[in-house]
């Protein structure tokens, strides 16, 4: 089932090139890029393709309009294409690329989530180690020896360990999918399905784990931990933002459908315009 339309279009020209028109939202890194990888639809055949667009031409405009509270330095603005030129060999059928491509994209976000937790662990340990003030109703003469504070640090550290393990498991599934290309078709398909399922399971588990851990760090630092000069909230903001891409609620349903009914997860998913009847 295909829900929604692809509004970015590529049109073949008489000289053998293509022209692309449309917009790429959340085009992470494109502000700094020389080439932009863009999902589009051919106007002549209706096929879904990837157009690799030269960013340095009059038909391409970048807007630094990403206003999310996380991922502030990723260049995730909007790229607008207005009759921009695309060479024929730079238009690739989406289905001809490696089968686990969307799972691979998700793996990048998984590493961001895990990295946010690990960074939070490093900073909370440093803050607790160097803190001089204590509470009269605490448990020790220094924060670094207070068992309840150490418990919080330990819980954040354990979350970082779990996050890393989850990413590793997803990476193993992706590696198996990569190696499956050299095997028979049935095994190749099975491995690609497993990679999609693994990254979906990892996303559902990691989103909650990462946002909880990066919020929990403040339980050990009290009011001074929320100082804007420390900027510790960036870990939660980045985790919450990374966890909001490719909504995990849909992935959780897909995982459940597989567990209960044996339905394989869709390996191609994207975002597009609402299909209006």
């Amino acid at each position: 089932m295909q829900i929604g339309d692809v509004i970015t279009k590529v049109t073949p020209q008489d000289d053998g090139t293509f022209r692309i028109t449309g917009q790429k939202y959340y085009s992470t890194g494109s502000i700094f890029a020389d080439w932009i990888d863009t999902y589009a639809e051919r106007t002549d055949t209706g096929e879904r393709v990837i157009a690799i667009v030269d960013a340095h031409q009059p038909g391409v405009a970048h807007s630094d309009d990403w206003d999310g509270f996380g991922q502030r330095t990723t260049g995730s603005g909007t790229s607008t294409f207005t009759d921009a030129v695309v060479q024929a060999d730079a238009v690739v059928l989406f289905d001809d690329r490696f089968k686990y491509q969307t799972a691979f994209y998700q793996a990048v976000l998984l590493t961001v989530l895990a990295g946010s937790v690990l960074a939070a662990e490093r900073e909370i340990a440093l803050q607790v180690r160097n803190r001089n003030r204590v509470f009269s109703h605490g448990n020790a003469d220094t924060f670094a020896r207070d068992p309840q504070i150490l418990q919080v640090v330990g819980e954040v550290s354990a979350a970082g360990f779990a996050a890393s393990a989850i990413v590793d498991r997803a990476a193993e599934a992706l590696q198996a999918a990569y190696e499956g290309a050299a095997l028979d078709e049935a095994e190749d398909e099975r491995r690609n399905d497993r990679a999609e399922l693994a990254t979906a399971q990892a996303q559902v588990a990691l989103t909650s784990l990462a946002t909880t851990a990066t919020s929990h760090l403040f339980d050990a630092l009290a009011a001074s931990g929320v100082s804007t000069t420390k900027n510790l909230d960036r870990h939660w903001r980045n985790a919450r933002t990374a966890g909001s891409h490719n909504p995990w609620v849909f992935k959780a349903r897909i995982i459940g459908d597989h567990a209960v009914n044996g339905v394989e997860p869709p390996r191609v998913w994207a975002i597009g315009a609402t299909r209006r009847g």
Side-chain angles (χ1 to χ4, degrees):
M1 180 177 63
Q2 182 73 42
I3 299 175
D5 293 318
V6 180
I7 56 176
T8 298
K9 309 290 186 181
V10 290
T11 303
Q13 305 296 300
D14 292 339
D15 63 0
T17 64
F18 288 78
R19 296 297 177 111
I20 183 169
T21 297
Q23 286 186 314
K24 180 180 175 69
Y25 300 99
Y26 311 136
S27 49
T28 302
S30 295
I31 290 173
F32 317 115
D34 294 319
W35 298 89
I36 305 173
D37 184 295
T38 307
Y39 187 61
E41 182 180 88
R42 287 185 58 150
T43 57
D44 56 337
T45 64
E47 293 171 309
R48 306 297 168 89
V49 300
I50 295 295
I52 304 170
V53 186
D54 183 351
H56 305 294
Q57 59 174 298
V60 179
H62 305 291
S63 298
D64 192 7
D65 57 355
W66 169 250
D67 63 353
F69 53 61
Q71 295 181 249
R72 300 299 300 156
T73 60
T74 58
S76 301
T78 302
S79 297
T80 302
F81 310 106
T82 306
D83 210 27
V85 176
V86 185
Q87 299 301 317
D89 60 358
V91 176
V92 182
L93 281 176
F94 186 86
D95 291 340
D96 286 351
R97 295 182 108 186
F98 55 99
K99 298 175 183 178
Y100 55 90
Q101 57 186 297
T102 46
F104 181 80
Y105 302 152
Q106 190 64 61
V108 175
L109 293 171
L110 297 178
T111 59
V112 171
L113 285 165
S116 294
V117 181
L118 294 172
E121 175 196 351
R122 288 194 299 270
E123 290 212 54
I124 187 177
L126 179 64
Q127 293 288 328
V128 168
R129 187 182 307 121
N130 294 334
R131 184 182 174 104
N132 294 318
R133 300 175 67 213
V134 296
F135 288 88
S136 62
H137 51 305
N139 306 286
D141 57 354
T142 68
F143 244 48
R145 291 187 176 88
D146 191 304
Q148 286 188 284
I149 301 303
L150 293 176
Q151 176 183 341
V152 174
V153 177
E155 290 174 351
V156 174
S157 178
F161 176 85
S164 297
I166 289 170
V167 171
D168 285 347
R169 285 290 300 275
E172 289 171 1
L174 285 166
Q175 180 67 25
Y178 167 75
E179 294 171 353
L183 305 175
D184 65 84
E185 184 176 352
E187 178 63 14
D188 183 38
E189 292 293 322
R190 190 191 71 81
R191 291 188 178 202
N192 276 275
D193 286 336
R194 294 291 76 74
E196 181 62 42
L197 183 65
T199 54
Q201 290 170 318
Q203 179 188 2
V204 173
L206 255 183
T207 298
S208 176
L209 181 72
T211 53
T212 298
T214 52
S215 176
H216 192 34
L217 73 88
F218 295 102
D219 294 330
L221 301 179
S224 62
V226 302
S227 170
T228 56
T229 60
K230 290 184 172 69
N231 196 29
L232 295 176
D233 62 308
R234 76 187 187 280
H235 302 306
W236 180 88
R237 289 186 286 105
N238 287 334
R240 181 64 274 178
T241 301
S244 297
H245 295 302
N246 314 321
W248 68 263
V249 293
F250 299 139
K251 302 292 186 64
R253 185 204 75 244
I254 289 167
I255 295 166
D257 202 12
H258 176 269
V260 175
N261 301 309
V263 177
E264 296 296 349
R267 292 206 302 262
V268 176
W269 37 268
I271 185 171
T274 300
R275 178 167 292 174
R276 303 182 185 278

